[in-house]
Amino acid sequence: MNNTNKIKMFLIRNAVPIVFLVVSAIAIPISRFSLDYLVQEMLIRLSRNSFLVLSLLVPIMAGMGLNFGMVLGAMAGQLGLIFVSDWNVVGLNGMVLAAIIATPLAIFFGWICGVVLNKARGREMVTSYILGFFMNGVYQLAVLYGFGSIVPITNTKLVLSRGYGIRNTINLDSIRRCLDDLVPLEIFGIQIPVATFIVIGLFCLFIVWFRKTKLGQDMRATGQDMAVADSAGIPVLRTRVISIVISTVLACYGQIIFLQNVGTMNTYNSHEQAGVFAIASLLVGGASVSRASILNVFVGVILFHLMFVVSPMAGKYLTGDAQIGEFFRVFVSYGIISLALVLHAWRRHADREIARAQFRGQNADGGTK
């Protein structure tokens, strides 16, 4: 492959982050935000969202694409937070207890998701997306009608006036920023959530270590070629289920970290936003449906949320209406996922063409060897 083709492939593979860099470079001066404000916002959003986005790496490694089913883990985390709020367990103890309660639920939800996705091999992303909608209905039915009637809730502030069902918004003041403020650090007026970044750093080390384990190698082999992995004696279906279970449990913990930072929980909608925004962030970082790294996670979170911060004010100063910026970032959230899927299909087609040309004894640019 000559230099021109290499540059072309580089631009195609990194088209999304390049576009976001250009848009952000244009929007930042228009938004008129100070550098201190933007740095503070990016640190907050890195600590808030990185764990959720990192949870997507394991299924991609196993060849299952973008796990839209991560919302099931987010639901489990929110159920744990409802119980903690009802029992009034405060601080880091409350956050840890919420994670303990949610873990078996997340494992169960992940197992269901993994079994379903094994029945839909080759269409995992669409299936997990629809499964998320189905489980969202089950979750809302349970929380809206089961809590307070079947599941006892003693805190009247959580229950609707009719006596059962959880309110639309729950105040999480009892655990708000309990992890972020555990190790306080301020540099030049910018607050840095050290403890949260330590947890995220340990998670990154876990991923690096996990890839070298027997299970991690089995997942990588399964992701490269299921038939070859099966011939090598790897339990392919079981490995795929385990990858989804791990991702779902990690997404559960990520949602708890996210909500302790925010301090409030939208009972019926918070998990939906977690899935779409996490996947969009990963894709913005230059990841694809079949390839993603830890670097893609952090680059994506910064670029995606930088656009989220500056676009409303940039829209206001350009058009006089901040709502334009809101519409733009919602459009980008879904548009970037669509673009990633199109690019993935194009790359698969291009790879097949290159492999076919090499098989015929030609170079990728059409010349003979």
Side-chain angles (χ1 to χ4, degrees):
M1 186 179 293
N2 57 36
N3 291 333
T4 303
N5 283 336
K6 287 181 180 179
I7 295 173
K8 181 180 176 182
M9 291 302 296
F10 174 81
L11 292 175
I12 290 172
R13 288 173 179 169
N14 297 279
V16 176
I18 290 172
V19 169
F20 267 75
L21 274 173
V22 173
V23 171
S24 298
I26 296 172
I28 287 173
I30 297 174
S31 66
R32 304 179 190 175
F33 285 126
S34 67
L35 180 61
D36 289 348
Y37 175 80
L38 290 176
V39 171
Q40 181 68 81
E41 281 295 311
M42 289 307 100
L43 286 174
I44 291 173
R45 289 168 186 268
L46 265 176
S47 64
R48 180 189 297 172
N49 295 278
S50 294
F51 204 102
L52 272 171
V53 183
L54 284 164
S55 69
L56 294 167
L57 296 183
V58 176
I60 292 176
M61 183 171 60
M64 302 188 73
L66 302 168
N67 180 25
F68 286 92
M70 67 176 293
V71 297
L72 277 66
M75 293 176 202
Q78 291 176 186
L79 291 173
L81 289 173
I82 291 174
F83 285 112
V84 168
S85 299
D86 179 43
W87 301 335
N88 196 30
V89 183
V90 301
L92 196 61
N93 291 336
M95 184 178 170
V96 172
L97 180 59
I100 293 173
I101 294 171
T103 297
L105 291 172
I107 293 173
F108 177 66
F109 292 162
W111 175 79
I112 292 176
C113 186
V115 170
V116 172
L117 295 186
N118 273 340
K119 302 294 184 181
R121 292 187 292 277
R123 297 177 178 83
E124 290 90 351
M125 285 182 290
V126 173
T127 305
S128 63
Y129 191 67
I130 299 303
L131 181 62
F133 276 118
F134 170 73
M135 290 301 294
N136 182 43
V138 175
Y139 166 84
Q140 294 194 11
L141 179 66
V143 174
L144 192 57
Y145 292 98
F147 280 65
S149 56
I150 300 175
V151 180
I153 299 293
T154 58
N155 189 344
T156 56
K157 293 181 179 179
L158 298 179
V159 183
L160 296 168
S161 57
R162 65 187 182 185
Y164 61 91
I166 303 299
R167 295 184 182 274
N168 291 336
T169 304
I170 296 177
N171 191 330
L172 298 177
D173 276 347
S174 59
I175 65 166
R176 186 174 187 272
R177 297 186 63 86
C178 63
L179 180 62
D180 295 338
D181 296 337
L182 184 63
V183 182
L185 178 63
E186 185 172 325
I187 301 177
F188 300 116
I190 297 174
Q191 296 180 347
I192 302 174
V194 177
T196 308
F197 282 127
I198 290 174
V199 172
I200 293 170
L202 291 174
F203 185 16
C204 293
L205 292 175
F206 166 77
I207 292 175
V208 172
W209 167 81
F210 181 76
R211 285 175 174 167
K212 299 177 182 178
T213 64
K214 174 64 167 61
L215 180 57
Q217 294 292 336
D218 287 351
M219 287 184 184
R220 294 174 65 180
T222 300
Q224 290 172 0
D225 194 312
M226 288 179 57
V228 173
D230 185 57
S231 300
I234 296 172
V236 171
L237 299 183
R238 177 173 173 270
T239 301
R240 285 161 56 92
V241 171
I242 292 174
S243 73
I244 293 295
V245 170
I246 293 174
S247 177
T248 307
V249 172
L250 294 174
C252 163
Y253 300 156
Q255 183 71 348
I256 293 174
I257 292 174
F258 177 91
L259 292 173
Q260 66 84 32
N261 178 275
V262 175
T264 58
M265 183 175 81
N266 189 327
T267 309
Y268 302 100
N269 298 108
S270 287
H271 54 280
E272 297 175 0
Q273 298 173 351
V276 172
F277 291 164
I279 290 170
S281 297
L282 184 61
L283 295 174
V284 168
S288 68
V289 173
S290 57
R291 178 185 57 82
S293 67
I294 294 173
L295 180 62
N296 295 140
V297 171
F298 293 110
V299 172
V301 171
I302 291 173
L303 289 178
F304 185 70
H305 287 277
L306 181 61
M307 186 274 296
F308 252 47
V309 171
V310 301
S311 61
M313 290 305 295
K316 178 181 178 180
Y317 286 120
L318 282 175
T319 65
D321 186 1
Q323 196 65 30
I324 296 295
E326 295 288 342
F327 292 146
F328 175 72
R329 63 188 189 178
V330 172
F331 160 76
V332 167
S333 299
Y334 290 96
I336 205 69
I337 295 174
S338 302
L339 178 61
L341 297 179
V342 171
L343 288 175
H344 175 63
W346 182 89
R347 286 171 190 161
R348 290 182 64 183
H349 176 73
D351 290 342
R352 284 196 296 267
E353 290 297 322
I354 292 172
R356 190 176 295 116
Q358 290 175 343
F359 179 74
R360 291 171 179 169
Q362 295 177 335
N363 293 322
D365 58 0
T368 58
K369 289 184 178 178

